[in-house]
Amino acid sequence: MQALEDLDTGSFVMEYMGEVVTATEFRKRARVYQSEGISHHYFMSIGNGKVIDATRKGCIARFINHSCGPNCVLQKWMVGGAIRMGIFTERPIKRGEEITFDYKFERMADSEPQPCYCGSPECKGIIGVVKERGTRLAASDEDIDADAADIDEEIADGAVTRHQRDDIRRRHAAVDDEEYGDTGYSDSDNSDAERGVAHIRRRKNGLTSPEQVLKFVQIMHRSSRQTRIIGILIGKLTETSDKRLLKSLISLQGLGILRAWLQDYAEDDVMMIKILQCIAHMPISTRNTIEESRLEEAVKPLCSDSDENVSSLANTLVERWSSLRRV
């Protein structure tokens, strides 16, 4: 697929669309397609146990080829409480140039790799990465620092389109100057959080501009189930002291992403504690915000969680939200 016109960095190309199905239905369909001799099927995981199936019902985005050195990136956005997958340019693209993105397939160590013929100088020879069965490597301080530095660089240097810049500035200007009190948590509340986030929190480098908020939300959208990256993002959010910037993030569906993370890590008490603490840091001032983000439906069940820290945080949040007014 080729560009019909010149595209600037950060331009929206198109949405990747199809039928959204459960992981169980995905596995069933994969077997059906195989039995029917359909060799080309198009699945994309979007987290929360959901998969986009564009095999029979989809748009032309499914025909965009993989490249190990792509000129576009797939970004996850929360729109009206639903996850949407958008394809955006990572660098300027000339008219007639092929549009590509990295499929980022995960395959088990004992499965057959899929050869890659992208022809890029960065070509790895196979598509995707190996995912070891049942293995989980601990991150060193050097790994965490490297990931944090990459995120800092993308937030600081990532280009946005004029439309995106104007939109985020408009949202930021619309945020009132209401002062919010202390979140009710002290640094000691982080005692159960893993070393990674505590380490990043010491960096003291929260968000400082509306443009950074926009880039940050884009990173949040594509970080589903990337535990170390999410830990770094939580650290950056909790280091952001400007409540107007945090409210701009809320206006960009940031709470919906936090809700999705909470559901993703329903079996991980440590991550749930960190996410709940991050939610507590957000300047939520109206009942409308809670209802629109559907945050309470994810937090309320945790009030009776077997982990005392999780249930305590959840109960505190639900009690705080009960006193908010609708406007």
Side-chain angles (χ1 to χ4, degrees), residues 139-153 200 203 226 228-229 232-233:
S140 67
D141 284 351
E142 290 77 11
D143 292 332
I144 297 170
D145 276 335
D147 284 340
D150 287 343
I151 291 173
D152 287 343
E153 182 178 354
I200 295 305
R203 296 168 63 92
Q226 298 182 50
R228 192 165 76 204
I229 298 299
I232 293 169
L233 296 177

Side-chain angles (χ1 to χ4, degrees), residues 5 35 45 47 52 56-57 59 106 112 135 147 155 162-163 166 186 191 196 217-218 238 250 265 274 280 308 312 314:
E5 59 185 49
S35 67
S45 173
I52 294 177
R56 289 192 167 120
K57 296 180 181 179
C59 66
E106 281 190 349
E112 189 70 23
T135 61
D147 284 340
I155 291 173
R162 178 178 298 179
H163 172 75
D166 292 344
S186 65
S191 57
V217 171
Q218 292 174 354
T238 53
I250 290 173
Y265 290 98
K274 290 187 289 186
E308 187 176 309
S312 176

Side-chain angles (χ1 to χ4, degrees), residues 20-56:
V20 179
V21 300
T22 64
T24 301
E25 177 65 15
F26 149 67
R27 288 189 288 270
K28 178 182 176 181
R29 291 190 179 197
R31 291 192 294 269
V32 170
Y33 293 156
Q34 185 176 17
S35 67
E36 293 178 349
I38 300 176
S39 57
H40 298 288
H41 40 82
Y42 305 87
F43 294 117
M44 177 180 292
S45 173
I46 58 176
N48 291 333
K50 298 293 179 64
V51 176
I52 294 177
D53 178 8
T55 304
R56 289 192 167 120

Side-chain angles (χ1 to χ4, degrees), residues 289-304:
T289 302
I290 297 297
E291 293 173 352
E292 289 168 6
S293 65
R294 295 161 49 204
L295 198 53
E296 194 168 42
E297 69 183 51
V299 173
K300 211 165 188 177
L302 301 179
C303 291
S304 56

Side-chain angles (χ1 to χ4, degrees), residues 3 8 10 16 23 53 81 84 100 111 117 131 149 155 169 186 192 206-207 222 267 279-281 310 320 323:
D8 294 329
Y16 192 99
D53 178 8
R84 310 285 285 270
T100 61
S111 65
Y117 305 104
K131 181 178 181 181
I155 291 173
R169 288 182 179 177
S186 65
D192 292 314
L207 303 172
R222 67 170 190 259
E267 304 300 321
I279 292 171
H281 180 66
V310 172
R320 181 188 304 175
S323 63

Side-chain angles (χ1 to χ4, degrees), residues 83-309:
I83 294 175
R84 310 285 285 270
M85 305 301 289
I87 298 168
F88 293 81
T89 59
E90 280 201 302
R91 60 170 177 77
I93 297 177
K94 293 295 184 182
R95 178 181 178 182
E97 185 178 350
E98 183 180 10
I99 294 172
T100 61
F101 68 89
D102 188 343
Y103 287 1
K104 295 186 177 178
F105 284 155
E106 281 190 349
R107 63 178 182 84
M108 295 303 177
D110 54 356
S111 65
E112 189 70 23
Q114 182 174 339
C116 178
Y117 305 104
C118 71
S120 165
E122 296 91 351
C123 184
K124 298 185 289 287
I126 59 172
I127 298 177
V129 296
V130 175
K131 181 178 181 181
E132 298 292 341
R133 296 185 185 273
T135 61
R136 201 173 168 187
L137 300 177
S140 67
D141 284 351
E142 290 77 11
D143 292 332
I144 297 170
D145 276 335
D147 284 340
D150 287 343
I151 291 173
D152 287 343
E153 182 178 354
E154 181 171 353
I155 291 173
D157 300 334
V160 297
T161 65
R162 178 178 298 179
H163 172 75
Q164 290 174 324
R165 182 197 63 203
D166 292 344
D167 180 62
I168 188 59
R169 288 182 179 177
R170 176 184 57 78
R171 291 174 184 270
H172 187 66
V175 172
D176 57 45
D177 291 317
E178 179 180 358
E179 292 294 328
Y180 297 89
D182 184 73
T183 60
Y185 299 104
S186 65
D187 287 340
S188 62
D189 290 318
N190 287 324
S191 57
D192 292 314
E194 71 174 351
R195 172 177 52 84
V197 173
H199 177 72
I200 295 305
R201 282 178 58 85
R202 291 196 293 271
R203 296 168 63 92
K204 303 291 183 185
N205 60 347
L207 303 172
T208 59
S209 74
E211 288 79 10
Q212 286 190 3
V213 171
L214 178 59
K215 294 303 297 184
F216 187 85
V217 171
Q218 292 174 354
I219 296 171
M220 289 178 73
H221 274 294
R222 67 170 190 259
S223 299
S224 177
R225 293 190 176 276
Q226 298 182 50
T227 304
R228 192 165 76 204
I229 298 299
I230 290 175
I232 293 169
L233 296 177
I234 289 174
K236 186 171 284 291
L237 271 183
T238 53
E239 284 301 330
T240 300
S241 58
D242 188 330
K243 302 299 182 185
R244 295 187 67 190
L245 292 176
L246 292 175
K247 293 204 74 168
S248 293
L249 182 136
I250 290 173
S251 75
L252 291 169
Q253 308 296 325
L255 293 180
I257 303 173
L258 291 174
R259 184 198 74 228
W261 288 354
L262 204 55
Q263 294 168 332
D264 282 346
Y265 290 98
E267 304 300 321
D268 189 329
D269 291 338
V270 172
M271 283 299 291
M272 283 200 294
I273 289 170
K274 290 187 289 186
I275 296 166
L276 288 169
Q277 289 174 337
C278 184
I279 292 171
H281 180 66
M282 303 301 289
I284 301 171
S285 57
T286 69
R287 185 72 191 171
N288 306 57
T289 302
I290 297 297
E291 293 173 352
E292 289 168 6
S293 65
R294 295 161 49 204
L295 198 53
E296 194 168 42
E297 69 183 51
V299 173
K300 211 165 188 177
L302 301 179
C303 291
S304 56
D305 192 87
S306 58
D307 186 282
E308 187 176 309
N309 293 314

